[in-house]
Amino acid sequence: METARNYDLYYESTQKTELKKRETASYIGGGLGNSLLSGLINVYLMIYATDVFGVSALAVGSIFFIAKIVDAISDPIAGIVVDRTRTRYGKFRPYLIISSVVWVVLTILLFNGPDLSDSGKFTYLLVFYILWGLAFTFFDVPYWSFSTVMTQDETKRTRLVSIARVSTLVGLILLMLVGGPIVAYVDGINPGRGYSNLAIYASVLALIFMLVMAFTCKERVKSSNETISLKQTLAYLKMNRPLQLTLLTAFLGLSMPISQSLSVYFAVNNLGSISYMTMLNVPALAIVFLIPIIVPALTKRFEKKYIFLTCSIANAVVLLSLFLIGYDNLPLVFILNGITLLFALINSTIVSLLIADSIDFGEWKTGNRFEAISFAVQSFTSKCQGAITGLVVGFILTFIGYQAASQSQTVETVNGIFAGFTLAPAVIGIIAAIPILFIKFSGKVREDAIEEIKQRRQV
């Protein structure tokens, strides 16, 4: 009873205030911190584990596979736990504070392994990587859920989600651009410490960003005091058609992951050097800052599902054009690749906004808000998509006859890489847009539902 009263008092205080600029800025910082820690693992952990810590590539691959399974299972569990939470500090803040500290500590430990036997190193890496994944889940799920409760104003929420998506990409891109030089500099002074020190620097910076976000941002959209049962959660997932269709589109959206996975092969075998990876990524730094301007402007005028479809078709047209033009003109290749990235980022943001809409749909139908489980199943879908992407890319490389140990590939294989880099994402991108066209919670239906929800809250 006391907990419920304190929970009510928190929202009675926050609902009297408007979304502040410092909250928006700190929320962006939280996304930057998120991407710094995720980027460290995605970009640098494998090479640290094999080249510095001394674990075989096969063993590292096995560790990643096992941890990914555990990680995927933990997402729905985290969503259910968070959605059942009611505290005097709100619904999400306690998780953001605790998980950010734990997540940073685990990141540093992963890149600072002790001197152990081969089996000890395997166990160390496996245990801490699984724990790292759990800490990531308990930060990431509340983080994206937070964007749906900071304001009910759709324009502000759209801008908030758009900017947050940008911040997560900026952190990753910056880490890719400056991480290498930092590692090289530190290793030149203290051999073998490059990746370890990079992890410490980035983790401390990430912790500052995440804690500032957790203590600054406020929840204003209050969930009911009713404790949500597992049965209610499962019923919500079963009845929420907009959420199901959005997740299906997200799962089918393999276009960007496939293109990213094949980009290194394209840079090495088609363009001639892995150094061109930098040029393929540099345009992203300029493009990502357009997202917070473009997406809110588009959503004011058009339905989200039609924006997604249009971007998917436009992306396919650009990729087809690149395939027909070829890659002899390098500046043109970088520009066209940047344009495809723009469309992909718009669609990625639209998916997050559609998830937020599906949460409103659930509240309209059930009276409860299921923010955490909604973003948890999105995270689960994303991880399943990542596993499928690996299989698809592996199939493409096998089908075109790619030889991993070969210094040079056949003409047919090189052409196959280019086709996989362009044509495959073009076709898959259009297929992914089909499910969300069946979402009916849009236009006047959604506007009337939002108005009804607001009236309920006032009562």
Side-chain angles (χ1 to χ4, degrees):
M1 186 61 120
E2 183 65 23
T3 299
R5 177 56 183 160
N6 288 331
Y7 180 68
D8 288 337
L9 287 173
Y10 171 79
Y11 285 96
E12 286 177 13
S13 172
T14 61
Q15 287 174 348
K16 295 176 182 177
T17 63
E18 294 292 329
L19 177 64
K20 302 289 195 305
K21 290 182 179 179
R22 65 173 178 270
E23 291 180 75
T24 300
S26 64
Y27 189 76
I28 294 169
L32 186 61
N34 186 330
S35 66
L36 286 174
L37 296 184
S38 300
L40 279 170
I41 298 301
N42 294 334
V43 179
Y44 297 108
L45 181 59
M46 186 160 197
I47 192 171
Y48 164 78
T50 56
D51 292 12
V52 179
F53 196 41
V55 181
S56 71
L58 180 60
V60 176
S62 300
I63 289 169
F64 284 7
F65 179 75
I66 295 170
K68 188 68 71 176
I69 293 175
V70 176
D71 197 16
I73 294 172
S74 71
D75 285 332
I77 296 174
I80 293 171
V81 170
V82 174
D83 271 332
R84 291 169 60 88
T85 300
R86 305 288 187 274
T87 77
R88 64 188 300 173
Y89 306 106
K91 186 175 179 178
F92 304 111
R93 181 178 293 180
Y95 293 102
L96 293 170
I97 296 172
I98 296 172
S99 63
S100 61
V101 175
V102 175
W103 194 16
V104 162
V105 171
L106 290 170
T107 302
I108 293 174
L109 289 174
L110 275 173
F111 283 91
N112 288 269
D115 186 15
L116 301 168
S117 64
D118 289 346
S119 60
K121 290 178 180 179
F122 180 90
T123 303
Y124 179 92
L125 203 60
L126 176 62
V127 170
F128 281 105
Y129 190 44
I130 288 175
L131 292 175
W132 183 94
L134 293 173
F136 163 73
T137 296
F138 274 95
F139 181 89
D140 195 63
V141 170
Y143 174 77
W144 290 109
S145 301
F146 214 106
S147 65
T148 68
V149 298
M150 290 173 68
T151 176
Q152 188 60 51
D153 185 301
E154 184 172 1
T155 300
K156 292 180 180 179
R157 187 169 69 182
T158 298
R159 187 180 301 113
L160 188 67
V161 173
S162 301
I163 297 175
R165 281 292 172 191
V166 168
S167 69
T168 59
L169 288 166
V170 168
L172 176 60
I173 294 170
L174 288 176
L175 196 61
M176 291 174 68
L177 292 177
V178 307
I182 290 176
V183 170
Y185 175 77
V186 174
D187 276 344
I189 300 173
N190 191 354
R193 287 295 306 173
Y195 295 109
S196 301
N197 283 25
L198 174 64
I200 293 172
Y201 303 152
S203 296
V204 171
L205 183 62
L207 181 61
I208 294 172
F209 281 130
M210 293 188 295
L211 287 180
V212 169
M213 176 259 166
F215 284 106
T216 302
C217 295
K218 295 180 174 61
E219 303 174 32
R220 293 179 176 82
V221 181
K222 178 177 173 289
S223 300
S224 67
N225 286 335
E226 175 188 356
T227 300
I228 298 173
S229 67
L230 176 60
K231 183 179 179 180
Q232 287 175 302
T233 300
L234 295 177
Y236 164 80
L237 294 175
K238 183 178 179 180
M239 58 74 63
N240 198 324
R241 187 71 169 169
L243 178 62
Q244 296 166 3
L245 292 170
T246 301
L247 292 175
L248 181 56
T249 284
F251 177 74
L252 294 174
L254 300 170
S255 178
M256 187 174 180
I258 288 176
S259 181
Q260 286 179 324
S261 296
L262 288 173
S263 63
V264 63
Y265 297 96
F266 175 65
V268 172
N269 297 283
N270 296 74
L271 301 185
S273 172
I274 195 172
S275 63
Y276 286 116
M277 276 292 293
T278 301
M279 294 307 299
L280 286 171
N281 285 292
V282 163
L285 280 176
I287 289 170
V288 293
F289 293 107
L290 298 175
I291 301 301
I293 301 172
I294 294 175
V295 174
L298 290 174
T299 54
K300 278 185 178 180
R301 295 168 176 79
F302 309 104
E303 289 294 332
K304 299 180 186 73
K305 57 185 179 182
Y306 296 128
I307 297 172
F308 191 101
L309 176 63
T310 302
C311 286
S312 297
I313 294 174
N315 185 57
V317 170
V318 174
L319 286 170
L320 179 60
S321 299
L322 177 56
F323 177 76
L324 295 175
I325 294 171
Y327 48 85
D328 291 333
N329 188 332
L330 291 183
L332 183 60
V333 171
F334 301 143
I335 291 172
L336 292 180
N337 187 65
I339 293 173
T340 65
L341 180 60
L342 174 63
F343 291 132
L345 294 179
I346 291 175
N347 278 355
S348 174
T349 306
I350 292 296
V351 166
S352 294
L353 294 174
L354 287 172
I355 295 290
D357 286 352
S358 72
I359 294 170
D360 291 333
F361 175 83
E363 183 178 7
W364 180 44
K365 291 294 185 180
T366 69
N368 289 313
R369 291 183 66 82
F370 294 81
E371 300 99 341
I373 189 62
S374 298
F375 281 100
V377 291
Q378 183 196 19
S379 180
F380 172 79
T381 300
S382 176
K383 288 165 185 175
C384 291
Q385 181 201 66
I388 297 298
T389 298
L391 291 176
V392 171
V393 171
F395 172 78
I396 290 174
L397 292 174
T398 302
F399 180 76
I400 63 178
Y402 182 80
Q403 300 296 320
S406 177
Q407 294 296 318
S408 62
Q409 306 295 330
T410 65
V411 174
E412 291 77 13
T413 298
V414 171
N415 291 337
I417 292 172
F418 189 44
F421 182 69
T422 53
L423 296 184
V427 174
I428 293 173
I430 293 178
I431 294 174
I434 295 175
I436 61 171
L437 295 178
F438 293 93
I439 293 178
K440 297 179 180 179
F441 188 63
S442 58
K444 193 172 187 307
V445 173
R446 182 178 175 282
E447 291 173 5
D448 292 343
I450 295 298
E451 188 59 36
E452 183 179 330
I453 292 171
K454 290 180 178 178
Q455 291 175 2
R456 284 185 202 164
R457 289 175 185 156
Q458 290 174 354
V459 173

